[in-house]
Amino acid sequence: MAKDRNENIKYLLEPRAIGIIGASANRWKIGNSVVRNIVTGGYKGKVFPVNPKEREIEGVPVYRSILDVKDDIDAVCITVPAPLVFEAIKQCCERSVKYGLVITSGFSEVGNVKEEREIVDYANSRGMRILGPNIFGIYSSKASLNATFGGGAIARPGNLAIVTQSGALGGAMAAQAGVENIGLSAIVPVGNKSDIDEADLLHYFIDDDHTRALLLYIEGVKDGASLLGALKATAKRKPVIFVKSGRSARGAMAAASHTGSLAGSDEVFEDVIRQCGGLRAENIREAFQWCKFLADNPLPAGDNTVIVTNGGGAGVMATDACEKYDVRLYDDFEVLRAAFSPVIPSFGSTKNPIDLTGQATAEIYTKAFDAAYADENIHSALGIYVESALLNAESLARVVEPNYERFKEAGKPLLFTLIGGAGTASYEDAARKKGFPVTTEVYDSVACLGAVYAYKRFKDSGPEDSIDADIDAQAIENIVAAAKQDRRTSLLSSEAQNIMKIAGVGIPKSLIAMTMEGAVKSAAAIGYPVVMKVVSRDILHKSDAGGIAIDLENREEVIDAYGAILRNCRAHVPNALIEGVEISEMVQPGTEMIVGARIDKTFGPIVMVGHGGIYVEVMKDVSFRALPLTRSDILSMIKQIRSYPLLLGVRGEKMKDIETLVDTILKLGAIVDKCEGISDIEINPLVIYEQGQGARAVDVRIILSRD
Amino acid sequence: MAKDRNENIKYLLEPRAIGIIGASANRWKIGNSVVRNIVTGGYKGKVFPVNPKEREIEGVPVYRSILDVKDDIDAVCITVPAPLVFEAIKQCCERSVKYGLVITSGFSEVGNVKEEREIVDYANSRGMRILGPNIFGIYSSKASLNATFGGGAIARPGNLAIVTQSGALGGAMAAQAGVENIGLSAIVPVGNKSDIDEADLLHYFIDDDHTRALLLYIEGVKDGASLLGALKATAKRKPVIFVKSGRSARGAMAAASHTGSLAGSDEVFEDVIRQCGGLRAENIREAFQWCKFLADNPLPAGDNTVIVTNGGGAGVMATDACEKYDVRLYDDFEVLRAAFSPVIPSFGSTKNPIDLTGQATAEIYTKAFDAAYADENIHSALGIYVESALLNAESLARVVEPNYERFKEAGKPLLFTLIGGAGTASYEDAARKKGFPVTTEVYDSVACLGAVYAYKRFKDSGPEDSIDADIDAQAIENIVAAAKQDRRTSLLSSEAQNIMKIAGVGIPKSLIAMTMEGAVKSAAAIGYPVVMKVVSRDILHKSDAGGIAIDLENREEVIDAYGAILRNCRAHVPNALIEGVEISEMVQPGTEMIVGARIDKTFGPIVMVGHGGIYVEVMKDVSFRALPLTRSDILSMIKQIRSYPLLLGVRGEKMKDIETLVDTILKLGAIVDKCEGISDIEINPLVIYEQGQGARAVDVRIILSRD
């Protein structure tokens, strides 16, 4: 049975009864910790420890075998040594257990791939799903279930769900969440991801009322297309924050040796996760700050942020950070002056940063926040406090706490940064533990607000149908089939050009002539200037053989060139069969782009665009999106590249034909998606002309998939 | 008297006697706080409070006027209202006071520029230097002097000096330093920088044994050339960490309205500060972490770092961070295996990250650090701990503390990151307060080690003489003088080309012909193909007038073009005086760069290089260096641009003539530096050919300085 992605794995997170194969009475053993945590954690369902030698563990009666249990069992934790796991799974299948949680390690992560595969295939074919192997168990606040072998207490129940590929880091994050007073709805390690993966879990958490934000720690994605689908659906409902390591080449190598997972291209991951609404944090501190704030706070109604500070320098730093994290500072200076000049001291500034100066007391802060609260043009705010004799830690609480609460109620996110000595630090710590969003570094607060706005932009993007190009897949597949019969792994240039013609991508006009007269006629039909090239399978290096002439401007030059090409080629390769001469349009200069599509090993069909020619390798100015594509996806992908202004026209040049670029991207995507046998297409350069003037695919490379 | 940059301002930081004009008995007044802080701070020198109405303040006898004091006084703090400051300064001058510390605000920061200037000019002309106005006073541990009006205690004496442009932020940073257990040697706010600035202070701190690292908070630089000179000298002795706000356009605007200082180009600041050995932190957290570590720790002997971790995931994240912050992970896997395989558990990895796995105990960690300590190929290390039942906070101390100490003694920097729950967090806090370099985020530790290595690279760069181009400044100035007589603000293209010729920068060959025969001869002399252009002051738009012909390949085409140009121009501008026709070399395609030099408002003469043509505006791929230049400066500037691989040759192209590029940069720098009247030169494009083939300055723009 293939696993059903639409099946909701409710009873994995909310089992009505749970078994533990490998339960132990020895408190040093994992098989004991799991039972103990379940019992002391307040789980309300039935618990069935299995151990052939014990009669009772942690006060719960023990079964000799899972087969002896008469009740239905939703999930079974397996903690027996690796060589005994398969037998345990078989028994679970016999008992129609829905989920096997294989805590035991020693499978694919140490090279034991085959047995892991066999176990999963066996279980799946009998309707059972596997979580793990190589996990620390799961926690679910909804079920009051702590089925982990962790020693420490799980953080308090709350609304953040953590899904993690690294058990150790997952456990430490859960503990850290406790310190940060972040409540958890669930922690689910996915371990080796032999079966159940992040996509399955996202599908569950979409509808889980307890969960208001998700944190995913990922080292490598296995089934990227499923992940993106699940992410897109989830992110429309609740924020999903990613920490993905293996960004760098060396990091990817380390990840491979850690969990055996291939990281894939980090650039692709970054782009397609964002396309589908995911927020990517660089590190764990960022991730926690974002998760906590997003889980607890409303999204702002609009883009306008104000910075309210008593320190000019810190205000300047926050302004820099706003640019870095794409937070828009409100800049209607008239409105700002009207709102704030009545409340700020002289020498202060209303220009946003609103500078209350070192004279600011709690009263002045509160009046400034009153003004920001009352002004409907202001949608979010950053409060900054630089230690001052006029405002001690106690008064600080009067500024931070009520303002945060009423702004939150009004749908206006408000974050504070507090910079100072021991008193300030200890209030900051206390406030954070009480759940107020305070940091000691303006960059942290602004990064968090940046995540809020990134998420808002995704949520605000209305429902948009994906678009598709209508291509003649059959005609293209015929060309591919012929090449495959020749056992080729890539297409000839002429075949690639044919495919472009079929798909309606502009290529240089070209005709084959067999005679001098034909050449002259063809050139006239194409329009001068033209390029001429010998057609012969026997001449591989046409340029070396003198088989190419460029920039031919008139009839006479074509006649001369025709003669010269034949002479040169006959002299160079005496026995060559010359099939004719190709006359092509001489491509006029334009903006050179690179456009591509491929079946990505991780994410399936993806498209790519970038600044082409030789610059693509040097500047690496490219962006990616996964199929299916909306028009907005393609436009945002084009706008993302640094050289986008070249398409808008620089130095008085006119706007380029962006429509044709969009269309070409869409067509390449459709080709790799729909045509069997093509794994990779790249046009470099695609020369783009002014608006309405189209483009020319000058060089097209198509790589076939390996069967 | 012009201020003398070489004068060491020793007695500002170490005054033997100090006065306070504006001393007050009222404890709510700044004039009281300063006296009280001096007295309670344990200052050993003489204190002379001045107040016409009081007899004793904080137990110190009061003088009616500074004129009444008989002793020599090194420094006087001035806290009287702004309108009374000038008179106070005059009295100080009369008493030959060396330094006036103007705490009072209300000068240039609120637009009162003129009086501030007058005060400084008056003081300087009488041998007195001014710190401020608009400062909170100074702190100097060497003198046990706390002459600030801050309410809280200054952090403990130590080895970090803080120089700050923002008083509020400076005070808060000093307080925060206390929380972080960072000891301070001095805090000096520079306020409006009317006289004494960062450069003066750096000159003092170079030789101050108490100071082992400096932290500079800057919003805008006034005298950049002095700053760079002082920085270069200081950084060779001790690390200088910068936090400069106003990175973004909006941030620069906010800085301008905060301290009235112009931020200048942040890109230039970033490059020239690094050139001179400065380390730039993005924010305050980073700055403190770097300062503290660099002040307390040796520089490593070599580049090789190992990561020792019990969590694979955290190890992968650290690996990513190492790439981001340019920390080199040791990768001789044979040596690593030999060193670590005896000490790590099975399933661990010796591949760096050294993964001790979740099985790691304190003993295993210690053995791993033993191995890293013993191996002379390993020069620095990152220890990572992910909370684990096998290693509690108490054992953690046994891992962190002795290992850090012995690594430090052996000259091997070692930093720890501890990730976990309450126990871990509380040990982390305690360890940090005891002075051990522990963080909760791997990115923080790695960024810090990255700063260590950046500083090491600067210190290791041997003494290198600056180089200079030998140019005929007189000949160039003659051209400039002629243009200035015409009241022009920029040079004609022909004048700019003449300057290039004088400087020996390759330009397209070109001759003027007055006759058709002359044109033919000139073309032959230059070599085909050539470009032809009418020479006439009356024809402004030569192209529109049909006065240009390109790509002329032979005698016949030159003859045809000559006739056509004359006919076209006469038809288009009937009365034009045609002085001749310019015949120029047709520039062959090559790698297009932009090269420039200018007198920067902040930093004086600077040079620039980048990827040229239309890309410079779009890709903004440029780098800067300040004069004087070493050869390494120029090479590092070229290597810094993203498109550097284009110069090395991509796709089988040969290496480009980098020597000519270096030479051209040097020449442009010398021109703006030595030739009166030139403020800005830009060659775009400078077309560069293969090694040994030189370059051609196709378009040269020269802007004259305003007198």
Side-chain angles (χ1 to χ4, degrees):
Chain A
M1 187 191 85
K3 63 186 172 181
D4 178 1
R5 285 284 174 190
N6 293 319
E7 174 202 359
N8 191 314
I9 52 176
K10 178 176 167 64
Y11 295 116
L12 170 64
L13 277 295
E14 302 163 38
R16 292 156 296 188
I18 194 164
I20 305 93
I21 300 183
S24 169
N26 178 346
R27 286 208 160 188
W28 292 98
K29 294 215 163 182
I30 284 176
N32 176 274
S33 301
V34 175
V35 176
R36 190 153 29 107
N37 281 333
I38 292 173
V39 171
T40 60
Y43 175 62
K44 300 289 184 296
K46 291 176 188 163
V47 185
F48 302 108
V50 172
N51 181 318
K53 293 176 200 146
E54 303 287 344
R55 308 201 56 180
E56 194 185 280
I57 294 175
E58 302 296 330
V60 183
V62 171
Y63 290 73
R64 289 180 53 83
S65 158
I66 198 78
L67 298 173
D68 297 344
V69 179
K70 299 296 170 230
D71 296 61
D72 285 342
I73 312 173
D74 285 330
V76 171
C77 300
I78 294 167
T79 64
V80 293
L84 306 179
V85 168
F86 203 166
E87 182 53 33
I89 291 289
K90 285 177 182 168
Q91 293 181 357
C92 289
C93 288
E94 207 171 321
R95 285 290 300 104
S96 301
V97 168
K98 290 188 180 65
Y99 302 99
L101 288 69
V102 184
I103 289 175
T104 309
S105 58
F107 292 90
S108 66
E109 85 279 11
V110 294
N112 185 5
V113 177
K114 188 160 160 276
E115 192 182 8
E116 182 176 300
R117 193 67 261 148
E118 282 169 2
I119 290 171
V120 172
D121 288 345
Y122 183 94
N124 285 176
S125 70
R126 281 154 185 86
M128 186 166 110
R129 301 283 308 266
I130 301 291
L131 182 70
N134 187 23
I135 59 172
F136 60 82
I138 68 169
Y139 165 75
S140 162
S141 76
K142 204 170 197 173
S144 300
L145 174 67
N146 177 2
T148 72
F149 60 78
I154 294 286
R156 66 172 175 79
N159 46 33
L160 173 65
I162 298 178
V163 174
T164 176
Q165 193 171 355
S166 165
L169 204 53
M173 286 195 295
Q176 211 172 38
V179 179
E180 300 279 333
N181 194 28
I182 300 174
L184 299 180
S185 60
I187 315 169
V188 188
V190 287
N192 296 358
K193 291 199 257 194
S194 67
D195 178 11
I196 291 171
D197 64 9
E198 293 89 353
D200 295 297
L201 293 161
L202 285 177
H203 279 302
Y204 169 80
F205 288 114
I206 291 179
D207 291 317
D208 176 36
D209 294 339
H210 288 59
T211 299
R212 295 214 316 245
L214 286 116
L215 170 58
L216 269 61
Y217 173 80
I218 291 188
E219 294 188 0
V221 177
K222 275 186 169 174
D223 181 354
S226 298
L227 176 62
L228 296 183
L231 172 58
K232 213 179 263 185
T234 311
K236 280 284 173 199
R237 299 273 295 280
K238 46 194 82 172
V240 184
I241 289 95
F242 287 81
V243 177
K244 178 180 166 288
S245 60
R247 284 175 177 265
S248 58
R250 177 93 187 225
M253 214 175 81
S257 96
H258 176 221
T259 46
S261 55
L262 290 174
S265 155
D266 194 72
E267 290 76 22
V268 173
F269 180 89
E270 173 98 15
D271 282 357
V272 302
I273 289 295
R274 195 187 323 130
Q275 173 190 4
C276 298
L279 301 169
R280 187 177 185 186
E282 184 180 55
N283 56 45
I284 294 175
R285 172 175 51 228
E286 263 190 12
F288 270 132
Q289 285 171 342
W290 299 3
C291 286
K292 187 176 180 185
F293 193 81
L294 278 159
D296 282 350
N297 287 275
L299 291 179
D303 280 343
N304 295 333
T305 299
V306 291
I307 297 170
V308 176
T309 180
N310 69 337
V316 176
M317 298 194 71
T319 306
D320 288 339
C322 284
E323 184 159 300
K324 175 172 177 181
Y325 294 106
D326 212 2
V327 171
R328 197 184 305 164
L329 288 180
Y330 187 42
D331 60 1
D332 188 326
F333 296 127
E334 302 262 322
V335 174
L336 286 165
R337 185 166 50 235
F340 292 101
S341 65
V343 302
I344 68 162
S346 63
F347 304 140
S349 169
T350 63
K351 276 192 182 156
N352 197 14
I354 311 300
D355 187 352
L356 307 180
T357 79
Q359 307 301 315
T361 57
E363 287 60 43
I364 292 175
Y365 264 106
T366 298
K367 280 183 191 161
F369 284 120
D370 283 346
Y373 179 82
D375 194 323
E376 60 184 18
N377 296 300
I378 294 171
H379 308 113
S380 55
L382 293 157
I384 300 175
Y385 164 73
V386 175
E387 191 161 279
S388 138
L390 296 177
L391 187 56
N392 60 17
E394 204 175 295
S395 324
L396 211 47
R398 281 192 291 129
V399 173
V400 171
E401 300 177 13
N403 280 306
Y404 168 72
E405 294 294 359
R406 67 176 173 150
F407 270 66
K408 179 174 167 175
E409 244 167 68
K412 296 187 178 192
L414 172 58
L415 299 89
F416 287 90
T417 301
L418 315 177
I419 305 170
T424 304
S426 99
Y427 173 66
E428 189 268 338
D429 200 44
R432 205 152 40 90
K433 282 183 177 153
K434 278 193 276 179
F436 295 103
V438 292
T439 69
T440 53
E441 174 53 63
V442 289
Y443 273 75
D444 287 349
S445 291
V446 178
C448 188
L449 191 55
V452 168
Y453 274 111
Y455 183 54
K456 173 181 157 58
R457 281 189 285 272
F458 176 77
K459 262 195 117 174
D460 284 354
S461 61
E464 185 183 351
D465 288 338
S466 61
I467 52 174
D468 196 5
D470 190 20
I471 55 155
D472 183 347
Q474 188 56 57
I476 293 172
E477 284 174 356
N478 290 344
I479 295 173
V480 171
K484 287 215 165 182
Q485 275 203 332
D486 291 355
R487 298 180 175 276
R488 279 186 278 130
T489 56
S490 64
L491 296 186
L492 299 176
S493 164
S494 56
E495 292 165 335
Q497 287 190 325
N498 275 342
I499 289 178
M500 292 300 104
K501 267 189 213 162
I502 292 168
V505 172
I507 53 170
K509 283 178 254 171
S510 135
L511 293 166
I512 307 280
M514 316 297 279
T515 63
M516 189 180 287
E517 254 181 35
V520 170
K521 270 192 198 161
S522 301
I526 284 164
Y528 292 103
V530 297
V531 174
M532 238 159 125
K533 210 181 285 181
V534 69
V535 180
S536 166
R537 292 181 187 221
D538 301 327
I539 302 174
L540 290 180
H541 303 288
K542 296 181 170 64
S543 185
D544 295 349
I548 296 180
I550 65 163
D551 206 8
L552 308 173
E553 294 198 331
N554 51 44
R555 189 173 186 279
E556 288 67 39
E557 292 188 8
V558 166
I559 290 171
D560 287 354
Y562 187 87
I565 284 176
L566 293 197
R567 273 196 309 281
N568 293 343
C569 291
R570 280 180 191 138
H572 199 266
V573 192
N575 299 321
L577 173 68
I578 294 176
E579 297 159 64
V581 171
E582 183 183 16
I583 320 289
S584 317
E585 175 189 357
M586 172 105 181
V587 175
Q588 296 305 304
T591 302
E592 297 196 355
M593 304 294 291
I594 180 170
V595 177
R598 71 164 191 255
I599 305 297
D600 186 80
K601 280 190 190 108
T602 308
F603 294 104
I606 63 169
V607 289
M608 179 259 276
V609 71
H611 182 195
I614 59 169
Y615 299 108
V616 64
E617 287 159 33
V618 172
M619 306 304 266
K620 295 181 178 61
D621 183 24
V622 293
S623 62
F624 302 88
R625 292 294 183 274
L627 264 58
L629 296 162
T630 65
R631 200 179 144 76
S632 307
D633 286 337
I634 301 178
L635 288 173
S636 80
M637 170 189 185
I638 295 171
K639 283 179 191 161
Q640 184 184 322
I641 56 177
R642 290 193 302 273
S643 47
Y644 175 60
L646 293 178
L647 292 171
L648 294 179
V650 289
R651 293 204 175 172
E653 284 179 5
K654 290 196 180 148
M655 163 101 99
K656 302 299 179 289
D657 200 333
I658 293 175
E659 270 314 305
T660 297
L661 181 58
V662 169
D663 189 55
T664 308
I665 293 168
L666 201 59
K667 280 172 174 163
L668 299 200
I671 293 172
V672 298
D673 191 30
K674 294 178 183 171
C675 302
E676 270 306 310
I678 293 181
S679 75
D680 205 312
I681 310 185
E682 191 181 289
I683 306 178
N684 185 17
L686 176 74
V687 180
I688 303 198
Y689 302 110
E690 287 173 7
Q691 221 169 350
Q693 307 292 309
R696 290 288 180 275
V698 174
D699 196 1
V700 185
R701 291 187 324 130
I702 298 184
I703 297 172
L704 305 180
S705 35
R706 295 176 192 194
D707 296 318
Chain B
M1 187 190 85
K3 65 186 172 181
D4 177 3
R5 285 284 173 191
N6 294 318
E7 175 201 0
N8 191 315
I9 53 177
K10 178 176 167 65
Y11 295 115
L12 170 64
L13 277 294
E14 303 162 39
R16 290 155 299 188
I18 194 163
I20 305 95
I21 302 183
S24 169
N26 179 346
R27 287 209 162 188
W28 292 98
K29 293 215 163 182
I30 283 176
N32 177 272
S33 301
V34 175
V35 177
R36 189 153 30 108
N37 281 333
I38 292 174
V39 172
T40 58
Y43 174 61
K44 300 287 184 297
K46 292 175 187 166
V47 185
F48 302 107
V50 173
N51 183 316
K53 293 176 201 150
E54 303 286 344
R55 308 199 57 180
E56 192 184 282
I57 294 174
E58 302 294 332
V60 183
V62 170
Y63 292 73
R64 288 179 54 83
S65 158
I66 198 79
L67 298 173
D68 298 343
V69 179
K70 299 297 169 228
D71 297 60
D72 287 343
I73 311 174
D74 285 330
V76 170
C77 299
I78 295 167
T79 65
V80 294
L84 306 178
V85 167
F86 203 167
E87 181 54 33
I89 292 288
K90 285 176 182 168
Q91 294 180 356
C92 289
C93 288
E94 209 172 319
R95 287 290 300 105
S96 301
V97 169
K98 292 188 180 65
Y99 301 98
L101 287 69
V102 184
I103 290 175
T104 309
S105 58
F107 292 90
S108 65
E109 85 281 10
V110 294
N112 185 5
V113 176
K114 189 160 157 277
E115 193 181 8
E116 181 176 299
R117 193 67 261 150
E118 283 168 2
I119 290 173
V120 171
D121 287 345
Y122 183 93
N124 284 177
S125 70
R126 282 153 185 86
M128 187 166 110
R129 302 281 311 264
I130 301 290
L131 183 70
N134 188 22
I135 59 172
F136 60 83
I138 67 167
Y139 165 75
S140 162
S141 76
K142 204 171 197 171
S144 299
L145 174 67
N146 177 2
T148 73
F149 61 79
I154 295 285
R156 65 170 177 80
N159 46 32
L160 174 66
I162 298 180
V163 175
T164 176
Q165 193 170 356
S166 165
L169 205 53
M173 286 197 295
Q176 211 173 40
V179 180
E180 299 280 332
N181 193 28
I182 300 175
L184 299 181
S185 59
I187 314 170
V188 188
V190 286
N192 296 359
K193 291 200 259 195
S194 67
D195 178 9
I196 292 172
D197 65 7
E198 293 89 352
D200 295 297
L201 293 162
L202 285 178
H203 279 301
Y204 170 79
F205 288 115
I206 289 178
D207 291 319
D208 175 35
D209 294 340
H210 288 58
T211 299
R212 295 214 316 245
L214 285 116
L215 170 57
L216 271 61
Y217 173 79
I218 291 187
E219 293 187 1
V221 177
K222 275 186 170 174
D223 180 354
S226 297
L227 176 62
L228 296 183
L231 171 59
K232 214 180 260 185
T234 311
K236 280 286 174 196
R237 299 272 296 279
K238 45 194 81 171
V240 184
I241 288 94
F242 288 80
V243 176
K244 177 179 168 289
S245 60
R247 284 175 178 265
S248 58
R250 176 92 187 226
M253 215 174 83
S257 96
H258 175 221
T259 45
S261 55
L262 290 174
S265 155
D266 194 72
E267 290 75 22
V268 174
F269 180 90
E270 173 98 14
D271 282 358
V272 301
I273 288 295
R274 198 189 319 133
Q275 174 190 1
C276 298
L279 300 170
R280 185 176 187 188
E282 184 179 57
N283 56 44
I284 295 175
R285 172 176 49 230
E286 261 190 14
F288 270 132
Q289 285 172 343
W290 298 3
C291 287
K292 187 176 179 185
F293 193 81
L294 278 159
D296 284 348
N297 286 276
L299 291 178
D303 281 342
N304 296 333
T305 299
V306 291
I307 298 170
V308 176
T309 181
N310 70 337
V316 176
M317 299 193 72
T319 305
D320 288 340
C322 284
E323 183 159 301
K324 176 172 177 181
Y325 294 106
D326 211 2
V327 171
R328 196 184 307 162
L329 287 180
Y330 186 42
D331 60 2
D332 187 326
F333 296 127
E334 302 262 323
V335 175
L336 287 165
R337 186 166 51 235
F340 292 100
S341 65
V343 301
I344 68 162
S346 62
F347 303 143
S349 168
T350 63
K351 277 191 183 157
N352 196 14
I354 310 299
D355 187 350
L356 307 180
T357 80
Q359 306 300 315
T361 57
E363 286 60 43
I364 292 175
Y365 264 106
T366 298
K367 280 184 191 160
F369 284 120
D370 284 345
Y373 180 81
D375 194 322
E376 60 183 17
N377 296 298
I378 295 171
H379 308 113
S380 56
L382 294 156
I384 300 174
Y385 164 74
V386 174
E387 191 161 279
S388 137
L390 295 178
L391 187 56
N392 61 17
E394 202 175 297
S395 324
L396 212 47
R398 281 193 289 130
V399 172
V400 171
E401 301 176 13
N403 280 306
Y404 168 72
E405 295 294 358
R406 67 174 173 151
F407 270 65
K408 180 175 167 176
E409 243 167 69
K412 296 186 178 192
L414 170 59
L415 299 89
F416 287 89
T417 301
L418 314 177
I419 305 169
T424 303
S426 99
Y427 173 66
E428 189 268 339
D429 201 42
R432 206 152 39 89
K433 283 182 177 155
K434 278 193 275 180
F436 295 102
V438 292
T439 69
T440 54
E441 175 53 64
V442 289
Y443 274 74
D444 287 348
S445 291
V446 178
C448 189
L449 191 55
V452 169
Y453 273 111
Y455 182 54
K456 173 182 158 57
R457 280 189 287 271
F458 175 77
K459 262 196 115 174
D460 285 353
S461 61
E464 185 183 351
D465 289 337
S466 60
I467 51 175
D468 196 6
D470 189 20
I471 56 155
D472 183 348
Q474 189 54 57
I476 293 172
E477 284 174 358
N478 291 344
I479 296 174
V480 170
K484 287 214 164 181
Q485 277 202 330
D486 292 355
R487 297 180 176 278
R488 279 186 278 130
T489 55
S490 63
L491 297 186
L492 300 176
S493 165
S494 57
E495 292 166 335
Q497 286 190 327
N498 275 341
I499 290 179
M500 292 300 105
K501 266 188 214 161
I502 292 169
V505 173
I507 53 170
K509 282 178 256 172
S510 137
L511 293 165
I512 308 278
M514 316 296 279
T515 63
M516 189 181 289
E517 253 180 35
V520 169
K521 270 192 198 159
S522 302
I526 284 164
Y528 292 103
V530 297
V531 174
M532 239 158 124
K533 211 180 285 182
V534 68
V535 179
S536 167
R537 289 179 190 224
D538 301 327
I539 301 174
L540 289 179
H541 302 287
K542 296 181 171 61
S543 185
D544 293 351
I548 296 179
I550 65 164
D551 206 9
L552 309 173
E553 294 197 330
N554 50 45
R555 190 173 185 279
E556 288 67 39
E557 291 188 8
V558 166
I559 291 171
D560 287 355
Y562 187 87
I565 284 176
L566 292 197
R567 273 196 311 280
N568 292 343
C569 291
R570 280 179 192 139
H572 199 265
V573 191
N575 297 322
L577 174 69
I578 293 177
E579 298 158 63
V581 171
E582 183 184 14
I583 320 289
S584 318
E585 174 188 356
M586 171 105 181
V587 175
Q588 296 306 304
T591 302
E592 296 195 356
M593 305 294 292
I594 180 171
V595 177
R598 71 165 191 255
I599 306 296
D600 187 79
K601 280 190 191 108
T602 307
F603 293 104
I606 61 169
V607 290
M608 179 256 278
V609 70
H611 183 195
I614 59 170
Y615 298 108
V616 64
E617 287 160 34
V618 172
M619 306 304 264
K620 295 179 178 63
D621 183 23
V622 293
S623 62
F624 302 89
R625 292 293 182 276
L627 265 57
L629 295 163
T630 65
R631 200 179 145 74
S632 306
D633 285 337
I634 302 179
L635 288 174
S636 81
M637 169 189 187
I638 295 171
K639 283 181 191 161
Q640 183 184 323
I641 57 176
R642 290 193 302 274
S643 47
Y644 175 60
L646 293 178
L647 293 170
L648 294 179
V650 288
R651 291 203 177 174
E653 282 179 5
K654 289 195 181 149
M655 163 101 102
K656 301 299 179 288
D657 200 334
I658 292 176
E659 270 315 305
T660 297
L661 181 58
V662 169
D663 189 55
T664 308
I665 293 168
L666 200 60
K667 281 172 174 162
L668 298 200
I671 294 172
V672 298
D673 190 29
K674 295 178 183 171
C675 303
E676 269 307 309
I678 293 181
S679 75
D680 205 312
I681 311 184
E682 191 181 289
I683 306 177
N684 185 18
L686 176 75
V687 180
I688 303 196
Y689 302 110
E690 288 174 5
Q691 218 169 353
Q693 307 291 310
R696 289 287 180 278
V698 174
D699 196 0
V700 184
R701 291 188 323 130
I702 297 185
I703 297 172
L704 304 181
S705 35
R706 294 175 193 195
D707 297 319

